[in-house]
Amino acid sequence: MEDYDFLFKIVLIGNAGVGKTCLVRRFTQGLFPPGQGATIGVDFMIKTVEIKGEKIKLQIWDTAGQERFRSITQSYYRSANALILTYDISCEESFRCLPEWLKEIEQYASHQVVTVLVGNKIDLAQNREVSQQRAQEFAEAHNMFYLETSAKESDNVEKLFLDLACRLISEA
Ligand code: GDP
Ligand code: MG
């Protein structure tokens, strides 16, 4: 017998430096790695959560520095149940690249994939370059959920993954 009721593949995408690896580290290990180069070194991390008595195994895929467009291929997106499209609220450039990522999603991901737009680094609010309203509108226009997080302060990170798991169960 399996030791879980559901298994979901969650894939993180977005520009290099926005904090994808830190979000995964924070959620799976409760750590915020200091400095640069927070490389996980494996294709994915596993974390099992329990929601309403159901055991949900989350297989969370993080890029290993392959964030240039078109260098992440179909295999990464294949069979993903959810995508976490991440930008950095203190970096306009990371937000401006989102349409490029949407093109990739359209090309490679399943049409049923659930996508969450995540504005990370809200602890850097004093350096904010992307307003919540702009991001919210962008998310709505592209049928995405939207949330702001801080991997550093552990703000909304748990919520990000647990809300996603809830949505995936309700659609499974
Ligand atoms: P990735 O390239 O998207 O995987 O980004 P990383 O997780 O490697 O993070 C890139 C840099 O941003 C590192 O220096 C992290 O310490 C920093 N970083 C990540 N998340 C946060 C956050 O929530 N707040 C702040 N202030 N820095 C962060
Ligand atoms: Mg990384």
Side-chain angles (χ1 to χ4, degrees), residues 17-22 32 35-36 120-121 123-124 150-152:
V18 298
K20 299 180 299 297
T21 300
C22 288
F32 181 75
Q36 295 285 336
N120 188 41
K121 309 197 188 181
D123 56 286
L124 299 180
S150 168
K152 185 176 181 184

Side-chain angles (χ1 to χ4, degrees), residues 20-21 38 62-63 65 67:
K20 299 180 299 297
T21 300
D62 181 31
T63 51
E67 290 94 337

Side-chain angles (χ1 to χ4, degrees), residues 116-172:
V116 188
L117 179 66
V118 169
N120 188 41
K121 309 197 188 181
I122 44 171
D123 56 286
L124 299 180
Q126 76 279 9
N127 301 323
R128 182 186 282 274
E129 293 185 356
V130 183
S131 75
Q132 272 184 310
Q133 191 190 342
R134 225 173 122 206
Q136 180 78 56
E137 283 169 10
F138 185 82
E140 276 169 21
H142 296 94
N143 201 23
M144 296 185 279
F145 298 99
Y146 165 63
L147 193 67
E148 290 195 342
T149 59
S150 168
K152 185 176 181 184
E153 314 263 281
S154 198
D155 213 348
N156 270 348
V157 178
E158 221 32 39
K159 180 175 167 55
L160 164 64
F161 286 95
L162 294 182
D163 282 3
L164 200 45
C166 278
R167 276 179 197 126
L168 290 169
I169 294 175
S170 71
E171 291 183 14

Side-chain angles (χ1 to χ4, degrees), residues 51-115:
I51 298 174
K52 293 179 193 143
E54 308 269 26
K55 276 204 180 116
I56 302 134
K57 195 166 170 177
L58 302 177
Q59 193 189 64
I60 306 167
W61 290 64
D62 181 31
T63 51
Q66 301 270 300
E67 290 94 337
R68 274 186 312 113
F69 304 118
R70 310 293 165 203
S71 68
I72 301 172
T73 49
Q74 198 165 7
S75 60
Y76 187 63
Y77 290 93
R78 189 176 297 140
S79 66
N81 302 101
L83 303 175
I84 297 177
L85 175 55
T86 312
Y87 67 96
D88 171 351
I89 65 132
S90 69
C91 175
E92 167 75 23
E93 170 69 13
S94 70
F95 187 80
R96 251 191 288 120
C97 287
L98 292 177
E100 295 293 327
W101 288 106
L102 291 180
K103 272 189 223 160
E104 283 214 353
I105 293 172
E106 212 170 288
Q107 183 173 3
Y108 294 131
S110 151
H111 292 300
Q112 282 109 56
V113 80
V114 173
T115 307

Side-chain angles (χ1 to χ4, degrees), residues 7 28 44-48 57-60:
L7 169 65
T28 59
F44 60 81
M45 302 280 279
I46 293 279
K47 178 152 172 162
T48 304
K57 195 166 170 177
L58 302 177
Q59 193 189 64
I60 306 167

